[in-house]
Amino acid sequence: MPTKQLSELLVSHSPETTEGYEGFYHLYDMHGDVASATLTYLLREHDMDKMHKLMERMSSTADYLNTIHDNSVEIEYVHQYDNMKDIMIKVPHIVEQIDIAMRDLGMDPRPTPIRGGTDGAMLSYKGLPCPNLGTGGYNYHGEYEYASLTQMKKGVELILRMIKNNVEA
């Protein structure tokens, strides 16, 4: 794999060039000195089979680099979280409560993929189902990432409405 193809592969599957349920490689951190360098990538994918394909591509890239850099490239995979969808389908009443509260507030419930790890995913796999309600954030994983105070206030309204609906039930 020529170096140009290698860089194009990683750039063409970066967060800013993908959307929705497309997987990506995100160069999250890099540091080094004259003797060595460490690159830390986040690999994101909603489907475990597709995640394994991302990992295979990363491993084959390392294999290629090792042929031209004297076997100096090592990969370490660290599992961060699983897709919370597997938990949420077991507790549909929670998602239904969110939809009802959103409609009560005149919002349009539209599930959208979260393209990164969340506290909700971690808590869900620890036994506390926590669907992501939104953070008010936009342009994640880039230099133009920001949070909207207006959207954050809507999130508070949603939570208060969910509480009210459950108290009245």
Side-chain angles (χ1 to χ4, degrees):
M1 172 183 299
T3 306
K4 183 177 183 204
Q5 285 177 313
L6 168 64
S7 64
E8 286 175 1
L9 169 70
L10 296 177
V11 170
S12 69
H13 289 85
S14 62
E16 64 272 14
T17 63
T18 59
E19 60 185 27
Y21 291 98
E22 293 178 280
F24 60 84
Y25 305 95
H26 175 51
L27 179 57
Y28 178 72
D29 183 44
M30 63 181 169
H31 60 275
D33 57 33
V34 71
S36 67
T38 300
L39 305 177
T40 304
Y41 280 86
L42 298 177
L43 277 61
R44 295 291 189 243
E45 186 54 79
H46 288 85
D47 175 271
M48 195 51 86
D49 290 336
K50 290 180 180 179
M51 173 60 86
H52 287 129
K53 287 181 182 173
L54 288 181
M55 293 168 71
E56 287 170 16
R57 282 190 215 121
M58 188 63 77
S59 293
S60 66
T61 300
D63 291 344
Y64 167 73
L65 290 172
N66 277 325
T67 65
I68 58 175
H69 293 289
D70 212 19
N71 291 320
S72 60
V73 176
E74 298 175 20
I75 291 185
E76 175 186 354
Y77 293 106
V78 177
H79 182 266
Q80 288 186 307
Y81 68 96
D82 290 310
N83 189 337
M84 72 165 55
K85 180 180 179 182
D86 298 334
I87 301 295
M88 292 302 118
I89 60 176
K90 296 175 184 173
V91 289
H93 64 283
I94 293 174
V95 177
E96 289 168 12
Q97 289 176 7
I98 296 167
D99 286 354
I100 291 167
M102 290 182 85
R103 285 190 182 95
D104 289 348
L105 294 171
M107 300 170 147
D108 181 22
R110 285 179 293 164
T112 55
I114 303 296
R115 292 169 43 90
T118 67
D119 294 338
M122 297 298 228
L123 290 169
S124 293
Y125 274 91
K126 290 182 178 183
L128 181 63
C130 293
N132 294 307
L133 301 178
T135 62
Y138 297 88
N139 301 326
Y140 297 108
H141 302 302
E143 62 184 289
Y144 299 109
E145 181 174 341
Y146 69 96
S148 162
L149 186 56
T150 303
Q151 294 299 315
M152 293 170 77
K153 286 180 181 179
K154 282 284 192 192
V156 171
E157 289 176 32
L158 176 60
I159 292 168
L160 292 174
R161 185 57 187 223
M162 289 171 58
I163 293 168
K164 180 180 179 193
N165 287 353
N166 280 290
V167 167
E168 292 174 352

